[in-house]
Every structure is written in C-alpha cells, then in structure tokens.
Amino acid sequence: MRKNRRTDEKLSLRLGTLFPTQGLTQSLTGSFTTRFSQRGPDPSATAYIGLLEGDGVSLSSAQKTAIDTFYVTGKNEGWYSSLKRFYLPVWGAAAPNARCLVSSTSGTFEGSFTHATGYAHPSSVSGTNRFNTGYKLLDDLTTEDACLMALAYDSTSPHDRAINAANKTIIGSGAITANSVRINTTDSSLKPQACWLGVNESTLSSFGSHGVLLSNRKDGDTTLSRRTGSAYDEDSTTGTLTGTYNNTFPIVGFGSAAATSGSAGQATDSNAGAFGISEGLNATDRAAYTLAIKNLWETCSGITL
C-alpha cells in the first residue's frame, strides 16, 4: 500500500508539471467512476448493434445508448418478453431496416421502396409494395391476445395525417376489414382505427394518425392507442369477435396481407418508422411500450415525433 501511494504521488507531481493537476485528476476520476459504475451493455442490444454495423450502418454513441436503453427498459418493465417482432426502419437502407430487434430474423421489403433517414415508405401506392414480416398471427399468438404496432410519421406540419388517405392500412393481415387485424384509417376524416376481426375501435379524442399506434386485443377488449410527441391517449371497445382469421396470410406493413405473397389490401405509401407484433398488452404496458418506442425512434432518427 505504501509503495502504491508513493507511485501515485510521483505520478501526480509529474503530471502537475505539465497540466493543471486538479482538473486532470477530476477528469480521470470521473471517467474511471463512470466506466466502472455503469452496468455492461445488454446482450440483445450488443447483438442488434453488431448486425447493424455489419450492414454498414455507422452508429453514434447516442444511438447505441438509445438501443441499449430500449432493451433494458423493456426487460425491467416486463413488456419486452411479450414482443414477437419489432422493426426499426430508420437506417436508410433495406437490409438494416428489415432486421428484427427481438428474433434475429429479417422481414422483406417487397416491391419498390424509399428508405429515408428515420422512416421508409413505398415508392408508390401498390398492393405489391409491402413489408413482409414473414410472421403469421397464430404462429405464437391467439386472436384474443395479440397486438400490432406501427409508428406512422407525418413529415408535414401540423403532423396529424400520417396515414395519408382514407381506408388505408399501415400494418395488418386479412383481405377484408371484417376478417382482419390491422391499423388503418376509416372514412374521409382519416381517423385511425384498430380493426380486430369485427370488433373495431376508432373513437380517440382527435382524428390524427400521426404517432405510435397500437391495435391491441386483450381480455375481450379491442384498444386503439396513440402516442404523439406531446400526448398519449387510447380508447377501447368490448365485444365478441365475429371475423374469420386466415393464418396463411403474413402480417405486413404498408397494407393488409390479402394473399400468402405478393398482394396487400388498403395499400399505402405513408411513412413508417417502426413496426411491432406482440402479445396483447395491459394498460400499463401499452403506455410504457409506446413511450419506449418514441424515445428510441427520436434518438435513432434525429427527428422529433
């Protein structure tokens, strides 16, 4: 111990002849404390970051931290284990945009797409332009306990009509509304709607489809949730499902799958910055999940929701 003290004293004296010793000592101590008092990175975050970098994405420290925080938050709060698929198409290219954060699989951008910083969208409105997750609802879930998520982004102020036309779907599966699960718009008012096999919900306090949107089925309720940059609201409808679900159709983005491959109904060229599929979430988890998505998307995209 005595020998170490002397070494430290000599080092301090030598450094003091070259630099302001107090400031350097504080800097070294602060750096040491920060590095070694923090937990290590989440393994899932490390794996996803590695895949992105393998795709050629150059990630900032802030983006890496945001990715890590998303995983850690979800695991600590308990909703992460409910996720089956989660995509973050913000990276400006098809390969990283198609990667799932929870399954280590990739979806497929079918047709023609524009990959912008912060979101992706089809180059035109066409049923052949769709993001195919490859996931079918009944693979791991049930029609009574599941949730679809999409972050729809309106780049034009006042940022309200992200799903940019009537009767358009941002994520879904099913050839017709009555036999589908989806997030879509209704009539010319462009209200967002959670469709769930005949039990639908579209009565939020305002009509805007901009933000993190959920179509959630749990405990006999269909719930539409929406988180924007400044507010979170939701509403629910209770009812018995009447539609017939066809599990040969995958869940797709930018429309609702109307066939096993190559076709989507209610196609849209709207901007999307995230897609997700999960078990049905309770009210606490819906609020926490949408907030975590907002925080992740804003930091990784550099755009304010």
Side-chain angles (χ1 to χ4, degrees), residues 36-211:
F36 289 91
S37 65
Q38 289 179 337
R39 55 166 178 78
D42 180 87
S44 301
T46 300
Y48 177 62
I49 288 168
L51 291 172
L52 292 179
E53 292 179 332
D55 291 330
V57 178
S58 180
L59 294 166
S60 69
S61 176
Q63 288 171 324
K64 290 180 180 180
T65 298
I67 292 168
D68 185 67
T69 299
F70 176 79
Y71 283 103
V72 172
T73 300
K75 291 175 182 181
N76 287 343
E77 293 178 343
W79 48 261
Y80 179 82
S81 61
S82 298
L83 304 186
K84 301 302 180 182
R85 296 290 186 274
F86 186 94
Y87 307 92
L88 190 68
V90 304
W91 308 114
N97 282 353
R99 292 203 178 275
C100 175
L101 279 75
V102 299
S103 68
S104 300
T105 63
S106 289
T108 305
F109 287 94
E110 300 174 349
S112 179
F113 276 83
T114 297
H115 296 276
T117 299
Y119 53 86
H121 65 83
S123 302
S124 62
V125 178
S126 170
T128 60
N129 294 334
R130 67 182 196 171
F131 176 63
N132 187 350
T133 69
Y135 185 90
K136 297 166 186 167
L137 187 75
L138 303 185
D139 286 353
D140 297 298
L141 302 170
T142 72
T143 56
E144 286 289 0
D145 187 7
C147 178
L148 302 183
M149 180 279 293
L151 189 157
Y153 175 66
D154 183 355
S155 60
T156 304
S157 183
H159 308 295
D160 54 4
R161 299 187 176 190
I163 306 176
N164 56 21
N167 300 309
K168 299 295 183 181
T169 294
I170 194 70
I171 185 173
S173 179
I176 62 173
T177 299
N179 291 335
S180 70
V181 294
R182 63 177 75 177
I183 301 171
N184 66 349
T185 49
T186 55
D187 53 23
S188 58
S189 67
L190 304 189
K191 293 189 299 182
Q193 178 175 237
C195 288
W196 210 272
L197 298 173
V199 182
N200 306 330
E201 173 57 52
S202 60
T203 56
L204 294 181
S205 57
S206 59
F207 63 80
S209 58
H210 171 86

